[in-house]
């Protein structure tokens, strides 16, 4: 199980949280690839902690769908496929639509300004060629909207799904485009105008459109290959 030897742990996290975040990141970016057998001994050594918090972290990752645990047999990195975009994005669309609805009664002019600034950075980052940076800015945009709801249950569900979105990004299932910038802008306008129906629509559409784009790219690729 190849693990980077230059891991540097943030000191402000508990051992379990450190293990969870790092192992999750290694799964997301493919350092630990789908189908790979996990060794809690090797992970504990790489992260510099005991096996107990590593095991706790593995349990959490299993619950979130990143690992498949077979007690007494093996712990395996769960499979992922680009087509999983059609499984991850619809529930995320519904949750984000709800977040937009819940944000409207409490959103302030300052919140609107923050969202506009993030969308501007997102728009500037897309043509830079740094797709991962664009993804992180997009994540912050959506996280900012979710935090306005002050609903930890909703935030936790969205955060979990966002982690799977990052994994799909590394599977090249996601292409960030100017269409997303435009959807963000229309969402912000609706939030500013306290237009619940329109805000919910664009919050959802921002996650549903990429599924259509992915399907169209695959169909085009199939045609170009003569299949």
């Amino acid at each position: 199980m190849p693990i980077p030897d230059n891991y540097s742990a943030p000191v402000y996290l508990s051992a379990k949280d450190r293990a969870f975040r790092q192992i999750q990141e290694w799964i997301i970016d493919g350092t630990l690839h789908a189908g790979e057998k996990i060794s809690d001994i090797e992970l504990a050594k790489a992260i510099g902690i005991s096996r107990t918090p590593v095991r706790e972290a593995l349990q959490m990752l299993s619950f979130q769908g990143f690992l498949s645990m077979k007690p007494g047999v093996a712990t395996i990195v769960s499979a992922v496929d680009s087509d999983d975009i059609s499984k991850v994005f619809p529930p995320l669309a519904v949750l984000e639509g709800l977040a937009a609805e819940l944000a409207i009664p409490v959103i302030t002019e300052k919140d609107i300004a923050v969202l506009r600034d993030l969308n501007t950075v997102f728009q500037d980052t897309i043509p830079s060629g740094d797709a991962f940076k664009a993804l992180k800015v997009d994540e912050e945009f959506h996280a900012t909207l979710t935090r306005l709801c002050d609903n930890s249950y909703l935030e936790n569900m969205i955060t979990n799904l966002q982690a799977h979105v990052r994994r799909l990004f590394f599977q090249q299932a996601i292409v960030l485009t100017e269409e997303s910038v435009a959807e963000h802008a229309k969402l912000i306008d609706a939030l500013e105008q306290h237009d619940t129906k329109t805000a919910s629509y664009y919050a959802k559409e921002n996650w549903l459109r990429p599924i259509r784009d992915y399907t169209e790219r695959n169909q085009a690729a199939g045609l170009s290959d003569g299949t």
Side-chain angles (χ1 to χ4, degrees), residues 129-209:
D130 190 342
F132 186 68
K133 181 178 179 181
L135 178 71
K136 298 303 289 183
V137 176
D138 186 54
E139 282 186 355
E140 182 56 29
F141 176 90
H142 291 281
T144 299
L145 175 62
T146 305
R147 283 194 294 268
L148 294 175
C149 304
D150 191 26
N151 185 322
S152 60
Y153 300 100
L154 180 62
E155 188 170 358
N156 287 338
M157 286 187 286
I158 291 177
T159 298
N160 179 31
L161 287 171
Q162 281 277 21
H164 289 281
V165 170
R166 287 198 300 277
R167 198 176 184 200
L168 287 168
F169 170 82
F170 282 101
Q171 290 285 318
Q172 300 183 333
I174 302 168
V175 177
L176 298 170
T177 67
E178 291 288 340
E179 289 178 278
S180 189
V181 177
E183 288 157 357
H184 287 176
K186 290 175 181 177
L187 168 59
I188 296 169
D189 288 343
L191 291 168
E192 186 173 34
Q193 295 162 15
H194 288 210
D195 183 342
T196 302
K197 183 177 180 180
T198 303
S200 179
Y201 172 80
Y202 281 109
K204 293 175 182 176
E205 181 65 8
N206 193 227
W207 291 105
L208 296 177
R209 175 193 47 77

Side-chain angles (χ1 to χ4, degrees), residues 37-107:
K37 183 177 179 180
I38 295 296
S39 167
D40 58 356
I41 297 175
E42 290 183 39
L43 288 171
K45 181 179 179 181
I47 300 172
I49 57 178
S50 69
R51 293 172 65 185
T52 297
V54 168
R55 288 171 176 168
E56 293 173 345
L58 295 179
Q59 290 281 356
M60 293 168 62
L61 289 164
S62 174
F63 178 75
Q64 293 190 349
F66 287 98
L67 296 171
S68 174
M69 301 188 77
K70 299 178 181 179
V73 181
T75 298
I76 306 294
V77 178
S78 297
V80 63
D81 186 275
S82 296
D83 289 344
D84 285 350
I85 186 173
S86 64
K87 299 176 182 178
V88 175
F89 279 36
L92 192 47
V94 173
L95 292 172
E96 290 268 359
L98 175 60
E101 294 176 14
L102 294 175
I104 282 182
V106 297
I107 200 164

